[in-house]
Structure formats: structure tokens, C-alpha cells
Amino acid sequence: MSRSRSTTPGTVRSEAESDAALTGDLVDLGRRSGLAAVGVAAVEVFTDTRRVLVERRARGLAAGMQFTYRNPERSTDPARIVPGARALVVGALSYGDGGPDSVHAPSTRRPPASPGSGVPHPQGRVARYARHDHYARLRDALAPMALHLESLGWRAAVVCDDNALVDRAAAHRAGLGWYGKNTLFFLDGLGSWFVLGSVVTDAPLRPSSAEPQPHGSGCGTCARCRAACPTGALSEPGVVDARRCLAWLVQAPGSFPEEFRSALGDRLYGCDECQQVCPVNRLADRGHQPERPEPDGTAHVDVLTLLASSDDDLMAAHGRWYIAHRDPRYLRRNALVVLGNTGDGRDPSTEATLLHWLGVDDPMLAEHARWAARALGRADLVDRAS
């Protein structure tokens, strides 16, 4: 039940002071919970964001992506989350668990080699944002603020990684930073290696004093992200074409587009390229270490092991990723493309793996195995399996 307020003369100043004090308490609580930044935003409909979602979806730039594109009227109206909502408490949590070149650095653990060959197994790279369940940590960090509000009689709901709210728009309105030319949200002085979430509440909190910054304001003339994108998905400054974006294509259902398979390289899940090359991120990485660094043990996945794993084992290991239809076939699809880009066609284990998938009763996976075999110069395996 929402707490009611008296609005009789003489109480306005004390209530305003009380609201400001509560806002300060929440910001302090969020920072103590591990958030790198906390701000408060007004709860009005994000009309500009809604217009952009509708326009880009109409242009086909969303591809088959759902998320906040599914229902822009819902995802841009926080009042649909909490009836009578008056404020958003927005938090950012770092997932920068390595330096700017960490995903390209060789693993300290030598990959297993195929028996008798000495050839290391190919390793599929995992983007930083997918290496750990960062959103679980974010929910844990936002929860104390929601519980504090509820203890005072206000309604509060934690929302992150949810179709119900465009997190970047909330962070922008709260004055936490700016949109980069790569479409990602940058925190002032800290870069873009962050996950974002909010507490939606009916408490009348005072919005942060910082004004939202213009899009691309921190980029200047730099356009390294656009030049570095492996598929040219950053079609315009601040616009991503999901039909070409590797981070989306590894999640999308259906066959992986053949024209982008070579560009996928060793990326099994996600793509960090536009963040890796960003000078703002490189500077922030040198000057900032996360408060809770995590081991980098999931930065690479053994491709041959993945392709030999059962459905249950794959979902147990990687089920927290967004996988189309919750179907592990799509992890195998990605792995076959990575194998074709990084494997050794002379390696007996690679040969055995390709022969297995060339012969399966699954047209999509068999087709990707054919592509991988030919990419590795082993068209003879295709002939042998047919």
C-alpha cells in the first residue's frame, strides 16, 4: 500500500527536505551495495525513446530482436511497472573484469590438445558482459534500495534486463552519462563496461540535478567504433543495424548468415569490438578497477568439448545466456562457425567432430558443419559424409 502525504500549508518545506534526505540515503545505500553510480530520474513517459524504437523497428534495424522493441508503449512507460510511480532510482554496476585487451590475451591455462596430435583445441571467445551473471549482482545491489523504500511504506520494484523498461533511457535521464556513437551508454569518467537497472517507486524523490547530456557528446570526432565493427553494423553514429550485429546474430534463431560467418571469427557469444577500441574505455580501464573483480574463467570455451556435450550439460553451463527458444542447437551452430574459422582441418579430433555433425539429422547443423569443413579445406569430409 502506498503511503499518503498531508499537503497542508506549512508542511511543504519539511516534506521537500525529507524527500531530498531520502534521495541522498538511497544514493548512499546504492553505492555501499557496489553500484558505481546512482541517480534519480523523473518517471514521465520516454517519448523520444519510444519514437526511436518505433522508427528503427519500421526500418528493419531491429531484425527479429524483441526485448524493448516488442512493445515500445510498455517499455517506455515506467508507470506500467508500478501504478502511481513517481521516480526511478537508476544504478550502474561494473562488469569491467579485465583490461582493454583482456579478451584477446592468451589464456593462462593451455587448452587441451587432441590425443596424439599436440594441436590445441580451438577456443570460442565470450564477450565480457556474458562471462558472469552480472545482472544477478545488479539485482542484489538494487534490492537494498527497494527494501528501504518498502520499509518506509512506499511501493518499489527492481527492474533490470527486462523488456519492461529501456534501461539506457532511464540512466540518461538520471544524468549518469551519455550515449556513445556505438549506441552504448557511457558513465562519466568510467566508460561503458556497465549493466544498468532501476528501482521504480511511488516515493516522490527529487530527480538528480545533472542534466542529460547530448548523444555522442563524449565521443567528439572519434569514430573508431564504427570503423572497427567487423560487419559494419554501426550504420550511422548512434545507430546499430541488428541484421549485421554479431552480438545479436549469435542469439538470433535460424541459420547464421553465411556472409557474416568469417567475420564472427572466434566469437562464440557476444562481441565487444566497439567497446574494446573505444579510447574512453581504454582510459577508464587504465584508471579504474572494479570493486569486486571476478575471475576471467569463462572468457573462452573449448569448442570441441561444447560440440560433444549433451543438451543438459550445455544448458547447465550456459543457460543464463539468451539462447533462441532455449534450444542448445544454437550454441552448437555458433560453435561450428567458430570451428570453421579457427580449427585445424588436419587434427583428428576436429575431423571426427566434423564428420559427426555432417551426418546428423538436423539440416541446420549439418549445413553449418559443411561450411566449417570447406572453410578448413576439408571438402573431402563433405563428400565422405554424403
Side-chain angles (χ1 to χ4, degrees):
M1 182 69 69
S2 176
R3 190 173 70 176
S4 62
R5 291 279 191 113
S6 169
T7 57
T8 56
T11 65
V12 174
R13 179 176 175 80
S14 61
E15 287 184 357
E17 291 172 345
S18 176
D19 294 341
L22 176 56
T23 299
D25 290 343
L26 292 169
V27 171
D28 290 343
L29 186 58
R31 295 302 297 265
R32 291 199 304 271
S33 297
L35 297 175
V38 184
V40 177
V43 79
E44 285 78 19
V45 171
F46 293 92
T47 53
D48 288 345
T49 302
R50 180 180 293 181
R51 175 185 54 77
V52 168
L53 290 174
V54 171
E55 175 200 357
R56 293 184 184 176
R57 187 174 64 184
R59 291 172 59 189
L61 297 177
M65 192 183 296
Q66 296 296 314
F67 306 118
T68 52
Y69 282 101
R70 178 180 300 161
N71 187 346
E73 290 189 358
R74 173 178 179 243
S75 60
T76 56
D77 185 0
R80 295 198 180 194
I81 301 170
V82 173
R86 300 192 218 178
L88 297 167
V89 187
V90 186
L93 182 80
S94 171
Y95 66 85
D97 52 359
D101 295 315
S102 64
V103 296
H104 297 291
S107 172
T108 56
R109 178 179 61 83
R110 181 174 173 80
S114 300
S117 72
V119 177
H121 288 186
Q123 301 291 298
R125 188 167 16 131
V126 178
R128 278 201 210 183
Y129 57 81
R131 296 178 192 172
H132 305 280
D133 193 350
H134 303 294
Y135 280 107
R137 289 180 50 219
L138 177 58
R139 291 185 189 94
D140 289 344
L142 293 170
M145 296 190 293
L147 291 172
H148 184 58
L149 286 164
E150 290 173 344
S151 73
L152 298 175
W154 302 111
R155 295 188 184 98
V158 172
V159 181
C160 62
D161 191 30
D162 193 300
N163 297 342
L165 184 65
V166 182
D167 295 318
R168 294 179 305 159
H172 187 243
R173 182 180 287 178
L176 297 186
W178 42 279
Y179 289 104
K181 290 180 181 177
N182 60 2
T183 77
L184 299 176
F185 190 79
F186 286 75
L187 267 65
D188 287 327
L190 298 177
S192 62
W193 303 109
F194 294 90
V195 286
L196 305 169
S198 298
V199 176
V200 187
T201 180
D202 59 355
L205 304 176
R206 179 173 296 180
S208 302
S209 57
E211 287 292 322
Q213 301 178 45
H215 290 206
S217 58
C219 298
T221 59
C222 179
R224 292 187 188 181
C225 56
R226 297 185 64 201
C229 179
T231 59
L234 296 171
S235 54
E236 308 165 32
V239 178
V240 62
D241 186 343
R243 295 168 297 189
R244 306 178 68 89
C245 179
L246 295 176
W248 165 243
L249 293 176
V250 296
Q251 300 179 19
S255 179
F256 198 95
E258 188 166 358
E259 65 268 33
F260 301 132
R261 291 179 190 176
S262 294
L264 187 66
D266 66 341
R267 300 172 184 87
L268 176 71
Y269 192 86
C271 181
D272 283 327
E273 207 66 39
C274 64
Q275 298 193 85
Q276 290 291 128
V277 301
C278 175
V280 176
N281 276 339
R282 288 179 175 269
L283 182 62
D285 274 326
R286 287 196 292 269
H288 170 73
Q289 289 298 319
E291 296 180 19
R292 295 174 55 188
E294 296 180 280
D296 204 24
T298 55
H300 297 86
V301 174
D302 186 299
V303 171
L304 297 185
T305 298
L306 185 155
L307 287 168
S309 297
S310 68
D311 287 358
D312 289 344
D313 286 345
L314 286 180
M315 296 308 289
H318 309 298
R320 59 183 171 76
W321 294 347
Y322 180 86
I323 301 170
H325 308 307
R326 308 302 299 160
D327 188 342
R329 294 170 65 241
Y330 294 110
L331 292 178
R332 297 187 180 102
R333 174 202 65 184
N334 296 348
L336 285 166
V337 176
V338 171
L339 180 60
N341 286 328
T342 65
D344 184 339
R346 299 165 299 174
D347 172 50
S349 292
T350 296
E351 178 178 321
T353 297
L354 288 171
L355 281 171
H356 170 78
W357 291 105
L358 285 166
V360 295
D361 187 21
D362 184 320
M364 181 185 75
L365 294 181
E367 187 273 322
H368 284 74
R370 288 193 293 273
W371 180 88
R374 292 183 175 117
L376 294 176
R378 294 303 307 269
D380 59 300
L381 298 180
V382 179
D383 296 334
R384 192 190 309 179
S386 60

